[in-house]
Amino acid sequence: MEHKYRILVTGGAGFIGSAYIRRLLSSKKDIEIYNIDKLSYASDLSAINKLDNSKKIHKHFKINLCNYEEIFSLLKSFKPKLIVNFAAESHVDRSLDTPKSFFENNVIGTLNLIEAARIYWDNLPDKEQKNFKFHHISTDEVFGSLNASGFFNESTKYDPRSPYSASKASTDHIINSWHNSYGFPTLLTNCSNNYGPYQFPEKLIPLSIIRASQNKDILIYGDGGNIRDWLFIEDHINALLLVQEKGLLGESYCIGGVAEKNNLEVAQEICEYLDKIRPKNKPHNRLIKFTKDRPGHDKRYSIDNYKIVKSLGWEPKYEFKKGIKITVDWYLKNENAMQELMKRSNYSGERLGLIQK
Ligand code: NAD
């Protein structure tokens, strides 16, 4: 008898996808995971490679979602009950430099995946069809930018303002239209900025930690006043698992950390903790420097969690201070591995997304 719950994950060598796989593999469930990831500069297979064991099986496939035939053939042979689509180019600054690749990877990639999945699902026996789910992971950036007040929720009008968020908004529309047109069983989540172990050190938090630990300047865009609603990775994974278990098909759920901080406050928090654990003659915040702002930089993101809290019982458990401590400790412990990863990915912490004219 076949008992295994088969899950197809995409983008599982990236920051959030690998955390999801690590969590699944540490659970008691009898599962089998196939991970499709094209392996970009941001991928780190060491985040999941050590986790195989005989009971819970996990395999990686180096496939680009743009390759329809390979995706379809894998779906037919693996027969997943759940597909979780994390795969995307994810850095706003890089989307300013190379917008086209964001639409190719994110939009065409998601279109291929969902269409292959729809045809696979359409041919399943009734019982298996009823139990099948497709979960697409998206971002709050699709909703645009807030001023000092207000929150994003599931009814907020889409207003993407960067090539990255425009590509992600397109994928959300694909997901919703496949549910509406074909009755395809989708789940959609839009979450705020994540932080935690294994995030490629190009984004604010890991890059600031790595640079501060090397005694290099911590570069803050503009006046440092841009606000994000920071979500610790493990809280995000809790929310995803709940949505997969109890979420209503065809619905979307917003997920935020209830931790609004501006970029300057984030850098200061990191410096304060570094002063405690690695004190220097002068405080680490002397390294904070302001640099030219990101073009079109969204001012503020903030999520109203009402729906996921009330209907599914989720709430974030990690306060920002605690999440930052865990994250800083992890990056310091894995400093060499992160340096290696950056070297392999040909990235040394330089400023991206300034749009050369
Ligand atoms: P990441 O950049 O760390 O990892 C993305 C992974 O997807 C990489 O391993 C990459 O190789 C893979 N990938 C990209 N395009 C692919 C394609 N066409 N085919 C196969 N693999 C492909 O990103 P992340 O931070 O882990 O983000 C995961 C998802 O969560 C993304 O969809 C992103 O939009 C969304 N998200 C991220 C955040 C955040 O703060 N990091 C916040 C909200 C939503």
Side-chain angles (χ1 to χ4, degrees):
M1 267 257 282
E2 177 65 85
H3 291 299
K4 283 193 196 304
Y5 189 75
R6 288 183 303 275
I7 307 175
L8 181 80
V9 174
T10 75
F15 167 45
I16 306 177
S18 70
Y20 176 79
I21 292 179
R22 288 196 299 278
R23 178 73 75 81
L24 286 181
L25 291 176
S26 68
S27 77
K28 296 214 163 25
K29 292 194 180 131
D30 203 6
I31 49 175
E32 187 171 1
I33 302 170
Y34 274 17
N35 169 31
I36 293 179
D37 194 304
K38 69 172 185 171
L39 298 184
S40 72
Y41 75 92
S43 309
D44 185 0
L45 275 177
S46 77
I48 42 175
N49 260 353
K50 299 165 202 143
L51 297 166
D52 288 356
N53 65 35
S54 55
K55 194 157 168 269
K56 298 163 194 150
I57 299 170
H58 153 241
K59 284 188 192 136
H60 171 251
F61 296 83
K62 186 173 188 281
I63 299 176
N64 192 317
L65 289 188
C66 295
N67 188 332
Y68 180 88
E69 297 306 326
E70 285 191 55
I71 303 290
F72 190 56
S73 135
L74 198 72
L75 281 174
K76 281 198 297 187
S77 62
F78 182 49
K79 299 189 175 60
K81 296 185 176 162
L82 170 68
I83 298 178
V84 193
N85 185 27
F86 293 95
E89 290 296 336
S90 68
H91 190 28
V92 176
D93 287 346
R94 287 184 193 259
S95 83
L96 296 168
D97 291 332
T98 55
K100 206 163 158 244
S101 78
F102 278 66
F103 286 83
E104 282 160 2
N105 281 287
N106 300 358
V107 183
I108 303 302
T110 297
L111 175 65
N112 271 335
L113 178 70
I114 198 168
E115 183 53 0
R118 182 184 72 82
I119 292 167
Y120 156 75
W121 164 80
D122 210 29
N123 287 298
L124 287 175
D126 279 3
K127 192 170 162 231
E128 287 174 40
Q129 212 178 59
K130 274 198 190 88
N131 291 329
F132 177 84
K133 294 175 187 177
F134 182 104
H135 184 176
H136 181 68
I137 311 301
S138 193
T139 166
D140 61 353
E141 302 194 25
V142 298
F143 301 125
S145 178
L146 294 164
N147 290 320
S149 64
F151 301 94
F152 297 138
N153 67 22
E154 293 75 11
S155 321
T156 304
K157 190 167 133 302
Y158 276 62
D159 181 23
R161 293 156 46 94
S162 72
Y164 165 65
S165 56
S167 74
K168 291 298 290 186
S170 311
T171 63
D172 289 15
H173 294 316
I174 292 172
I175 301 305
N176 289 331
S177 68
W178 255 241
H179 178 74
N180 190 53
S181 304
Y182 305 106
F184 188 65
T186 58
L187 294 163
L188 170 63
T189 47
N190 296 87
C191 72
S192 57
N193 281 49
N194 283 220
Y195 68 101
Y198 287 108
Q199 186 170 33
F200 187 77
E202 63 184 350
K203 309 233 168 104
L204 177 68
I205 291 180
L207 185 60
S208 300
I209 299 170
I210 296 272
R211 290 186 67 91
S213 74
Q214 296 171 335
N215 225 16
K216 290 184 180 156
D217 288 347
I218 301 172
L219 297 179
I220 299 294
Y221 294 180
D223 63 1
N226 299 70
I227 295 170
R228 301 294 179 257
D229 183 356
W230 293 96
L231 175 66
F232 188 61
I233 182 79
E234 296 304 327
D235 277 329
H236 186 196
I237 304 301
N238 290 340
L240 299 181
L241 293 171
L242 260 184
V243 169
Q244 287 159 15
E245 194 193 339
K246 299 190 198 162
L248 294 179
L249 297 176
E251 301 251 333
S252 71
Y253 295 86
C254 285
I255 309 165
V258 197
E260 274 189 53
K261 304 269 170 224
N262 71 35
N263 290 349
L264 183 57
E265 289 169 326
V266 169
Q268 279 165 340
E269 187 78 43
I270 292 168
C271 290
E272 225 172 84
Y273 184 56
L274 283 171
D275 287 344
K276 270 191 208 146
I277 58 168
R278 279 198 182 174
K280 298 255 157 72
N281 303 340
K282 292 182 190 158
H284 283 86
N285 66 12
R286 76 186 188 289
L287 299 170
I288 295 178
K289 302 276 154 52
F290 295 95
T291 179
K292 196 168 175 196
D293 206 356
R294 167 187 287 166
H297 203 172
D298 289 343
K299 182 68 190 161
R300 175 174 166 260
Y301 305 146
S302 186
I303 294 250
D304 171 4
N305 283 324
Y306 184 82
K307 181 174 175 180
I308 191 167
V309 169
K310 282 289 164 200
S311 63
L312 305 186
W314 176 81
E315 58 179 0
K317 294 196 169 73
Y318 290 80
E319 280 181 12
F320 187 69
K321 231 182 204 351
K322 182 174 165 193
I324 281 291
K325 278 184 189 170
I326 297 172
T327 308
V328 172
D329 288 344
W330 187 89
Y331 277 93
L332 294 184
K333 195 170 157 217
N334 293 279
E335 219 171 329
N336 291 341
M338 285 297 110
Q339 305 281 4
E340 274 304 306
L341 176 65
M342 288 171 84
K343 213 165 150 190
R344 230 173 32 237
S345 303
N346 204 15
Y347 179 65
S348 52
E350 67 274 17
R351 180 69 202 275
L352 300 166
L354 273 178
I355 311 179
Q356 306 301 333
K357 292 202 173 118

